């Protein structure tokens, strides 16, 4: 008897690798403090552009972080 497993979708494979996708809420270090942000996209080099909300700034700031610098919010 053979057990069939559903094929892994791209999102399942990405989740297994710990990859982030656009729209994920994350926490990153900005200066000396932690800031909340939203992943915008993954760059060709494998780092992530994150829109960070910083207290005192009029608009969100776009920052670049490697995967190990980003924590789930």
């Amino acid at each position: 008897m053979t057990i069939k497993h559903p094929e892994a979708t791209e999102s399942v494979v990405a989740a297994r690798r710990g990859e982030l996708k656009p729209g994920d809420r994350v926490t990153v270090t900005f200066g000396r403090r932690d800031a909340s942000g939203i992943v915008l996209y993954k760059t060709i080099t494998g780092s992530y552009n994150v829109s960070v909300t910083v207290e005192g700034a009029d608009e969100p700031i776009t920052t670049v972080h490697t995967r190990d610098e980003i924590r789930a919010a």
Side-chain angles (χ1 to χ4, degrees):
M1 179 176 185
T2 303
I3 299 174
K4 294 185 179 183
H5 296 281
E7 291 184 25
T9 62
E10 285 184 37
S11 60
V12 170
V13 172
R16 287 181 189 157
R17 284 190 240 143
E19 292 183 17
L20 300 167
K21 59 183 185 288
D24 284 352
R25 295 194 173 277
V26 295
T27 302
V28 296
T29 301
F30 186 81
R32 295 183 184 171
R33 60 181 70 154
D34 289 342
S36 61
I38 298 174
V39 173
L40 298 176
Y41 59 90
K42 184 177 180 180
T43 66
I44 224 170
T45 60
S47 53
Y48 292 87
N49 281 19
V50 179
S51 176
V52 178
T53 304
V54 179
E55 187 177 325
D58 293 335
E59 297 179 9
I61 299 170
T62 301
T63 59
V64 179
H65 299 276
T66 61
R67 177 62 186 100
D68 60 337
E69 297 172 334
I70 301 173
R71 298 173 305 283

